[in-house]
Amino acid sequence: CCNVVMNRLRILSLPNHYIYQPTPQIQKASHYDDKWEYVAQHDLGWQEDIGPSSSEAKWYGINQYLYYTRNDCWKFGARFEWFRDESGIRVHGVRGTNPYAGGSSGDFFGLTGGANWTPTENIVIRPELRWDMFDGVGTLPFNDGTSDSQITAAIDFVLSF
């Protein structure tokens, strides 16, 4: 049914700043056929001696991806993300004249759906629609600090050579 692999473990250590990032993946977790793929990814970080109070900041999250490969040209995917910024130190929205104004302490959720279209071997076109939501305290992170959610449409082009 499934393969569980640890494909990456990164520990970044800078002065007073540590990030532990294991990335377990369950690949091709399907009870039907090999067209489905599930990936789970986890982040955990902390930083010591933040600001004048010398406090500690922590952040962590889980991302989950589900992909369906229709054929060599089309792959569809959905992603659910949860990120917790306990101290409001990692997530700052750009607001007005001060791009570093206040943090947003709480839970961030994202839900994304999209497609990968590969018309040739070295071109991938990836449209997506994303909904973000915030549940917490502090400055609201979206729409210049006035909203706890947003919807974004995006597209990118990848050229490999």
Side-chain angles (χ1 to χ4, degrees), residues 2 23 35 43 50 64 72 77 79 82 102 127 131 136 140 144 146:
C2 309
T23 309
K35 292 186 177 282
D43 294 308
I50 302 294
Q64 298 183 74
D72 289 341
R79 176 176 69 239
W82 166 71
W131 174 68
L140 294 175
D144 290 329
T146 63

Side-chain angles (χ1 to χ4, degrees), residues 15-18 45-59 85-90 92:
N16 303 322
H17 188 117
Y18 309 94
W46 67 94
Q47 184 171 348
E48 299 173 342
D49 300 326
I50 302 294
S53 65
S54 295
S55 62
E56 181 180 82
K58 295 178 186 174
W59 59 92
D85 185 355
E86 287 189 2
S87 307
I89 200 73
R90 295 300 295 173
H92 295 271

Side-chain angles (χ1 to χ4, degrees), residues 69-138:
T69 301
R70 181 168 179 205
N71 55 40
D72 289 341
C73 292
W74 287 99
K75 185 175 191 176
F76 300 93
R79 176 176 69 239
F80 175 76
E81 301 165 88
W82 166 71
F83 182 76
R84 172 82 180 161
D85 185 355
E86 287 189 2
S87 307
I89 200 73
R90 295 300 295 173
V91 180
H92 295 271
V94 177
R95 290 171 210 79
T97 59
N98 184 358
Y100 303 104
S104 302
S105 176
D107 294 298
F108 293 81
F109 302 93
L111 184 60
T112 306
N116 290 3
W117 177 43
T118 309
T120 69
E121 188 175 295
N122 64 332
I123 295 175
V124 181
I125 301 171
R126 305 184 307 182
E128 73 174 29
L129 185 62
R130 177 181 175 91
W131 174 68
D132 291 290
M133 197 218 34
F134 170 69
D135 182 22
V137 297

